[in-house]
Amino acid sequence: MAPIKFARVVSYSSEDPVHKADNLLNPESTKKWKCKSMGEKQAVAILQLSSQVQINGIDIGNEFSAFVEVFVAKSSNPDDYKVSQT
């Protein structure tokens, strides 16, 4: 299945000057998203899809994180995040 394209980055908690959150919009980019400072306790990026799709798998890079969580919600009810069951 082809990679899903994100419509936009709604918000983010932190970003490196070179590895900006907007890099998540281009799956072909060699630059990814990183926090501004190493050792940040939590990093959040909220992404919006252009349409509703079924996601069968997620490929997440991880650089020295203890754990990664993925939450999902419909834009009609953005405060009702659910933990992704994969």
Side-chain angles (χ1 to χ4, degrees), residues 23-79:
N23 292 343
L24 295 169
L25 301 176
N26 182 4
E28 302 302 320
S29 174
T30 58
K31 293 180 182 166
K32 304 301 178 189
W33 171 57
K34 291 185 178 182
C35 296
K36 184 174 183 177
S37 304
M38 285 183 56
E40 290 190 31
K41 297 282 184 195
Q42 183 177 20
V44 176
I46 299 176
L47 306 171
Q48 183 176 5
L49 301 172
S50 56
S51 63
Q52 186 175 358
V53 296
Q54 180 177 347
I55 299 173
N56 297 317
I58 300 174
D59 182 10
I60 299 174
N62 182 9
E63 189 170 299
F64 306 113
S65 297
F67 62 92
V68 176
E69 288 183 298
V70 176
F71 294 87
V72 295
K74 291 184 178 181
S75 58
S76 60
N77 197 1
D79 295 326

